[in-house]
């Protein structure tokens, strides 16, 4: 007999799996559609487990009907979850509706009660009072009360999970008792490959979430050699013990209040698969291995991280050892870096946690210390207090702690003055310090305490974070404990792909020397300085600001993106640039009579052209109000300098204009400000216009974090030996001075006892070293302190000499005065040149940046010792300017607009050639097609010889120029049809 491949066969298969777990097969004839209840199972459970309570009611007339009506009212008002947990009080009786899972195997009575629950799986349940023939494929119930419904589809019969979703949307009336909100915990649309779920059947507005494991770092499910891909749903998630655990510890009705309208809405949470998986795997590992381990959870934006942290935090509070006798942790500390998220987490945990008054906020170090000492069960604090947490854990060595670290960033601070930043050294306004750096700095020089476990959540782990919190596998690599990738979040629709619509602009400029002399400079430093000078020039900013405003007005605002509410962010390289952009954009908006304005965000104040500016003076209101003001229709463009680039969640953000170098984690975090979905406003895409970075550079930044991120090997710490030897050999300090300084420092001696030691060393530094040697010493000293600060928190070594030298140099460095003649010379460079030509040209049409779909491996930050003369080659100013102009103007004596006209004209000649269609457009042989194209381009250039003599000469004599032109023509032919090229040529 052939295999059965229809839906009935899938139903039978799933039913058999449930029966094997201890479920009963329900009888659909016993389902009361009015009360949405299996009455036979319900009364059998009550009579078997609670006869005494029923006796209190049975003397009343029609008492069973009274119980069912009371139960129906309570479920309608409070929801099934509340009734299952609290039971049903009626008159002088109290009916338990679910016996919970036992914490351990020590109490046979508790185990017996749990086993008395009756779990049923019922097929083809007729749920409708008005249309009795309508049925749902399967209903899963506990003690007669429906918990989940299923609509099953089988692709072999021509239908799939999408048909099941449509069935819920179109054919399942939410007014029917079974499908009323909170009557069931969840409704599943299922086929052999995919599962989707919803907690609210709401007609056409029904919103489904994927409930899939993920496959190859993306959506879907991996192959299952033992059955259907979706077998985990019935074999793992909905087993009797697992489902009861979800009811007790995961599912929750949460009331949310709109801060503006004060309107309250009710949400029913059922965990997504990866949320359930990460919490359970962590709890199981802790239960087996005990305290003292670290866990890195790499979960993308869109993963529902706040709920994952909430579920983990309050379950860690209730986690018992394997004997089930003792709590594993005395306190659980949740660390975040934003006060708003601090409150959000606190409120969330309060709503989710069953035990009241377990959450204690720590707004300052005193509160934190008191909460730790008093053994408060769950403490929520900010990353600024983290040093006190580390110290408190050390002091309270007789207690065990769980520290859950959230990746929220100090996006709206711009500058921090907390204790952590002091150990990170000086930084300028262009550098950001995110939570990973802060946490690692706070535990610098300390081993992970055996009385604490750390759980770090991040979407973008740095090498040091992987090494500190990651899990080392058998190959020596450091990997996350759990992964929900950016790729999966994008493919499942929880975040938008910000790289799907990426456009780059290239700046073209020429500079000329304004002095007669020809001084020598470090070439690489000079090139960077020149680029920064040109890009921040007021003229260039005005040119770029016009492009930004023109694009936003024509392509975003006039096209009513996000129903006309779309916002844009301009990311600048410095406060000075941000202020100049603010004035230029405001001017452009005014000239175009736009009904909205721009805002600027930066920290502190900045004096430009003799005028001191602050956020408040420019925007007209305090800086703390920027985030809220930006939501108003009055403002649509936000210009930022290191504020709002990380951790700023504004679903109305649609476009971003980038004029700043973005690398690594910073690039991902900055561009990801756009990725928040906004279904309510119809947000389907994003747009990025980048004036600074290339497509390849952005791809390089995103690739490591698109799928799984690992660290190839541990950090090589031997560079510290090399730097120490080089510093020791200078004779600037004696080792007994280093030891004496540390002895006094850790004995908390007064500063006046430390200063003489440092002053003696400074005097020797001033007297014995020449200017270059002083610079070299200070560079190496800074490098030693920086590297040691990084590796001390991640490498399990004990090197007392390194620790002592670190503290000694940390206080010595600020006292060392050097004349950095090289940097002074580079600064003088800007007084030696003028900007003569500037233009902009879009490098290419908007592209989708394709990322690496395989696992990405980071290399450890193994540095090499640096010194004074480790820079680039030294070149005279003439040569530096020549190289700069060649690089930035491609050696072609034509403006960007002139270039466009010439290139399009060449392309028209190519497509007009009779051989184009045969040899190129319709040629499947790519190699021969490319050869033929080069020949046609050469003919086209020759045909323009008289009109474009410069172009012809450059093409004929410069191979690089020839290759550039060929690439540009090939790009045009790839993106435009013959008719479009003709149209472009006519318009030019």
């Amino acid at each position: 007999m052939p295999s059965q491949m229809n839906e009935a066969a899938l139903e039978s298969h799933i039913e058999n799996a449930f029966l094997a777990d201890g479920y009963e097969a329900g009888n659909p004839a016993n389902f009361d559609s009015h009360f949405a209840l299996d009455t036979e199972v319900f009364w059998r459970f009550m009579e078997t487990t609670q006869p005494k309570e029923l006796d209190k009611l049975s003397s009343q007339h029609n008492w069973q009907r009274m119980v069912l009506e009371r139960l129906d009212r309570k479920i309608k008002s409070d929801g099934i979850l509340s009734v299952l947990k609290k039971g049903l009080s009626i008159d002088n009786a109290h009916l338990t509706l679910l016996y919970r899972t036992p914490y351990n195997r020590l109490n046979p009575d508790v185990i017996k009660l749990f086993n008395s629950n009756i779990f049923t799986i019922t097929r083809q349940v007729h749920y409708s009072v008005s249309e009795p023939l309508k049925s749902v494929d399967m209903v899963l119930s506990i003690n007669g009360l429906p918990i989940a419904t299923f609509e099953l589809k089988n692709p072999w019969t021509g239908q799939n999970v999408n048909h099941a979703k449509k069935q819920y949307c179109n054919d399942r009336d939410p007014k029917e008792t079974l499908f009323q909100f909170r009557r069931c915990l969840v409704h599943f649309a299922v086929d052999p490959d995919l599962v989707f779920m919803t907690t609210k059947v709401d007609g056409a507005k029904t919103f489904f979430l994927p409930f899939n494991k993920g496959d190859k770092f993306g959506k879907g499910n991996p192959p299952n050699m033992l059955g259907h891909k979706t077998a985990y749903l019935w074999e793992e998630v909905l087993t009797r013990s697992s489902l009861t655990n979800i009811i007790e510890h995961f599912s929750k009705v949460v009331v949310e209040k709109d801060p503006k309208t004060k309107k309250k809405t009710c949400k029913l949470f059922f965990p997504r698969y990866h949320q359930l998986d990460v919490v359970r795997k962590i709890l199981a590992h802790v239960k087996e291995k005990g305290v003292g381990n670290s866990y890195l959870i790499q979960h993308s934006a869109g993963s529902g991280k706040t709920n994952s942290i909430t579920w983990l935090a309050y379950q860690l509070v209730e986690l018992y050892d394997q004997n089930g006798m003792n709590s594993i942790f005395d306190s659980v500390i949740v660390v975040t870096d934003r006060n708003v998220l601090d409150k959000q987490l606190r409120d969330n945990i309060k709503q989710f946690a069953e035990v009241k008054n377990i959450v204690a906020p720590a707004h300052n170090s005193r509160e934190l210390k008191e909460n730790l000492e008093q053994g408060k069960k769950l403490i929520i604090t900010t990353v600024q207090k983290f040093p006190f947490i580390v110290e408190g854990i050390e002091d309270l060595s007789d207690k065990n702690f769980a520290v859950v670290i959230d990746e929220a960033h100090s996006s709206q601070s711009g500058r921090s003055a907390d204790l952590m930043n002091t150990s990170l050294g000086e930084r300028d306004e262009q550098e950001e310090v995110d939570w990973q750096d802060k946490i690692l700095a706070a535990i610098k020089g300390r081993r992970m305490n055996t009385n604490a476990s750390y759980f770090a959540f991040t979407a973008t782990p740095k090498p040091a974070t992987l090494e500190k919190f990651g899990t080392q596998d058998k190959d020596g690599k450091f990997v996350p404990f759990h992964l929900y990738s950016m790729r999966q979040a994008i493919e499942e629709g929880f975040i938008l792909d910000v790289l799907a619509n990426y456009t780059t602009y290239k700046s073209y400029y020429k500079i000329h020397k304004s002095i007669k002399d020809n001084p020598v400079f470090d070439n690489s430093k000079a090139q960077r300085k020149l680029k920064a000078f040109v890009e921040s020039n007021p003229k260039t900013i005005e040119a770029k600001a016009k492009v930004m405003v023109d694009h936003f007005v024509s392509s975003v605002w006039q096209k009513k993106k996000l129903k006309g509410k779309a916002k844009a962010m301009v990311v600048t390289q410095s406060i000075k640039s941000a202020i100049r952009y603010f004035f230029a954009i405001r001017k452009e908006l005014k000239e175009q009579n736009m009904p909205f304005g721009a805002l600027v965000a930066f920290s502190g104040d900045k004096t430009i052209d003799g005028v001191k500016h602050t956020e408040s003076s420019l925007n007209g209101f305090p800086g703390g109000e920027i985030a809220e003001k930006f939501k108003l229709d009055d403002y649509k463009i936000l210009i930022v300098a290191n504020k709002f680039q990380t951790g700023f969640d504004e679903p109305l953000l649609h476009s971003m204009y980038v004029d700043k170098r973005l690398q690594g984690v910073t690039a991902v975090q900055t561009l990801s400000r756009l990725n928040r979905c906004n279904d309510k406003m119809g947000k389907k895409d994003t747009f990025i216009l980048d004036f600074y970075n290339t497509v390849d550079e952005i791809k390089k930044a995103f690739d490591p974090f698109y799928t799984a991120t690992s660290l190839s090997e541990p950090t090589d710490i031997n560079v510290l030996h090399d730097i120490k030897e080089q510093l020791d050999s200078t004779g600037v300090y004696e080792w007994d001075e280093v030891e004496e300084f540390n002895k006094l420092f850790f004995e908390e001696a007064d500063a006046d006892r430390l200063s003489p030691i440092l002053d003696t060393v400074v005097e020797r530094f001033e007297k014995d070293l020449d200017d270059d040697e002083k610079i070299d010493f200070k560079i190496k000293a800074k490098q030693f302190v920086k590297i040691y600060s990084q590796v001390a928190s991640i490498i399990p070594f004990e090197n007392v000499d390194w620790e002592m030298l670190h503290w000694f140099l940390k206080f010595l460095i600020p006292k060392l005065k050097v004349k950095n003649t090289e940097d002074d010379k580079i600064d003088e460079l800007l007084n030696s040149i003028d900007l003569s030509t500037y233009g902009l040209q879009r490098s290419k049409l908007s592209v989708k940046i394709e990322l690496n779909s395989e696992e990405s491996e980071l290399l450890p930050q193994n540095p090499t010792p640096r010194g004074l003369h480790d820079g680039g080659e030294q070149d005279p100013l003439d040569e530096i300017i020549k190289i700069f102009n060649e690089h930035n103007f491609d050696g072609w004596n034509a403006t960007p607009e002139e270039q466009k006209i010439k290139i399009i004209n060449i392309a028209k000649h190519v497509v007009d050639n009779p051989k184009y269609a045969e040899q190129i457009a319709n040629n499947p042989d790519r190699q021969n097609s490319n050869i033929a194209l080069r020949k046609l381009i050469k003919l086209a250039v020759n045909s323009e010889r008289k009109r474009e003599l410069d172009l012809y000469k450059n093409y004929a004599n410069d191979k690089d120029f020839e290759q550039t032109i060929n690439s540009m023509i090939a790009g045009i032919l790839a993106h435009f049809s013959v008719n479009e090229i003709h149209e472009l040529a006519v318009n030019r």
Side-chain angles (χ1 to χ4, degrees), residues 706-912:
Y706 185 55
T707 54
T709 311
S710 63
L711 182 67
S712 61
E713 59 185 349
T715 302
D716 180 6
I717 61 172
N718 290 310
V719 67
L720 290 170
H721 286 300
D722 299 333
I723 300 174
K724 181 179 179 298
E725 288 172 5
Q726 293 167 11
L727 290 171
D728 290 347
S729 66
T730 63
V732 168
Y733 54 81
E734 300 293 340
W735 194 251
D736 60 352
E737 293 169 331
V738 175
E739 291 178 335
E740 180 63 17
F741 177 89
N742 275 269
K743 178 176 177 293
L744 294 172
F745 177 70
F746 285 103
E747 288 176 352
E748 300 182 359
D750 291 337
D752 61 355
R753 297 181 62 191
L754 297 170
S755 291
I757 301 172
L758 297 175
D759 292 341
T760 301
V761 175
V762 170
E763 184 178 3
R764 200 178 294 136
F765 172 84
E766 293 284 352
K767 180 181 177 182
D768 296 348
L769 304 184
D770 61 29
D771 288 344
D772 283 355
E773 289 171 337
K774 290 175 184 175
I775 295 170
D776 190 72
F777 181 92
K778 191 168 184 179
I779 289 172
K780 287 184 169 64
K782 282 184 173 182
Q783 193 185 21
F784 183 92
V785 171
K786 181 179 180 181
I787 295 171
Y788 184 77
S789 295
Q790 291 173 343
V791 302
S793 63
I794 57 180
I795 303 296
F797 60 77
E798 295 290 345
N799 190 312
V800 177
D801 287 354
W802 285 353
E803 179 80 8
M804 287 195 294
L805 183 59
H806 161 265
W807 287 109
F808 177 74
L809 292 176
K810 187 174 177 61
F811 288 91
L812 175 66
I813 289 169
K815 286 177 166 283
L816 302 179
K817 307 301 179 186
V818 299
K819 294 179 180 179
N820 197 336
T821 53
E822 184 66 27
D823 283 353
D824 292 342
K825 282 175 65 179
I826 291 292
D827 289 336
E828 282 298 313
L829 167 71
L830 301 184
N831 298 322
S832 309
I833 53 99
D834 287 318
L835 178 66
S836 58
T837 306
Y838 182 81
L840 283 169
Q841 180 179 354
R842 189 166 64 178
S843 302
K844 57 181 73 177
L845 293 173
S846 292
V847 298
K848 175 176 173 60
I849 301 178
E850 299 289 349
L851 298 177
N852 178 21
S853 60
E854 302 300 320
E855 181 177 354
S856 294
E857 192 171 89
L858 298 176
L859 296 175
Q861 295 175 322
N862 291 332
T864 54
R866 292 186 294 105
L868 171 61
H869 299 298
D870 295 329
E873 297 179 3
Q874 302 287 309
D875 286 310
L877 179 58
D878 280 343
E879 183 65 19
I880 288 170
I881 290 178
K882 178 174 176 290
I883 294 170
F884 184 77
N885 286 335
E886 285 178 353
H887 179 74
N888 293 290
F889 220 87
D890 293 336
W892 187 4
N893 189 23
T895 67
E897 188 59 33
E898 290 170 346
Q899 287 187 25
K900 290 180 186 178
I901 296 170
K902 296 174 193 292
I903 292 298
I904 291 168
N905 197 34
I906 298 295
K908 181 178 179 296
H909 277 291
V910 171
V911 298
D912 285 346

Side-chain angles (χ1 to χ4, degrees), residues 250-307:
F250 288 93
S251 282
K252 187 68 180 179
V253 175
V254 173
V255 178
E256 296 179 349
K257 184 167 69 173
D258 188 301
K260 292 182 180 178
T261 64
K262 306 301 180 184
K263 183 180 177 181
K264 291 182 179 180
T265 56
C266 212
K267 287 188 177 180
L268 173 57
F269 285 90
F270 192 92
R272 286 153 61 186
Y273 181 83
H274 71 273
Q275 294 173 316
L276 188 68
D277 191 53
V278 67
V279 173
R280 285 181 168 175
K281 282 181 176 174
I282 288 175
L283 295 175
H285 192 274
V286 172
K287 200 161 190 172
E288 179 187 355
K289 303 294 184 181
V291 183
N293 294 295
S294 298
Y295 304 82
L296 179 63
I297 299 93
Q298 185 181 352
H299 278 197
S300 166
S303 67
K305 180 165 56 66
T306 299
N307 283 345

Side-chain angles (χ1 to χ4, degrees), residues 104 199 233 270 516 578 659 798 800 931 964 975:
N104 54 46
T199 57
L233 180 65
F270 192 92
K516 290 183 178 180
D659 192 20
E798 295 290 345
V800 177
I931 294 170
T964 300
H975 288 98

Side-chain angles (χ1 to χ4, degrees), residues 410 412-417 421 427 429 575 603-605 642-643:
S410 52
Q412 297 170 34
S413 64
R415 193 181 292 167
S416 287
N421 285 352
R427 61 188 181 98
E429 65 181 32
I575 294 176
S603 296
D605 56 65
N642 286 334
K643 286 187 73 173

Side-chain angles (χ1 to χ4, degrees), residues 563-708:
K563 301 180 180 179
K565 303 285 187 181
K567 310 279 186 179
M569 178 181 283
V570 179
V571 179
T572 69
Q573 53 191 300
S574 66
I575 294 176
K576 186 176 181 180
S577 292
I579 293 171
R580 292 204 188 282
Y581 264 113
F582 174 73
F583 287 125
I585 288 173
R586 188 173 66 172
K587 177 185 174 187
E588 195 64 37
L589 290 172
K590 189 174 181 180
E591 289 179 357
Q592 296 192 31
N593 294 316
M594 288 297 103
F596 55 83
L599 297 173
V600 64
F602 58 89
S603 296
D605 56 65
K606 191 74 172 179
T607 300
I608 300 177
D609 301 328
V611 180
K612 181 187 286 188
H613 299 284
T614 64
E615 286 176 330
S616 301
S617 66
L618 293 171
N619 294 324
F621 52 80
E625 299 178 13
I626 291 175
E628 284 304 311
K629 294 283 188 183
F630 189 49
K631 294 179 184 294
L632 304 176
D633 288 340
D634 297 342
Y635 305 101
K636 294 194 180 296
I637 301 176
L638 176 62
I639 302 136
V640 302
N642 286 334
K643 286 187 73 173
F644 296 94
Q645 282 182 233
T646 57
F648 177 54
D649 294 338
E650 176 48 72
L652 293 176
L653 262 183
H654 174 274
S655 299
M656 184 175 285
Y657 305 99
V658 180
D659 192 20
K660 174 183 180 178
R661 188 183 187 196
L662 295 176
Q663 292 180 295
V665 171
T666 302
V668 178
Q669 292 170 352
T670 299
L671 300 182
S672 294
R673 295 312 96 219
L674 297 178
N675 69 15
R676 298 314 189 256
C677 294
N678 194 334
D679 295 321
K680 185 178 178 183
M681 304 301 292
K683 185 178 178 183
K684 302 297 182 186
D685 60 9
T686 64
F687 180 83
I688 297 173
L689 192 59
D690 196 326
F691 294 85
Y692 207 99
N693 309 280
T694 67
V695 165
D696 287 342
E697 288 168 341
I698 296 301
K699 173 177 166 57
K700 183 180 178 181
F702 269 77
D703 264 339
F705 309 110
Y706 185 55
T707 54

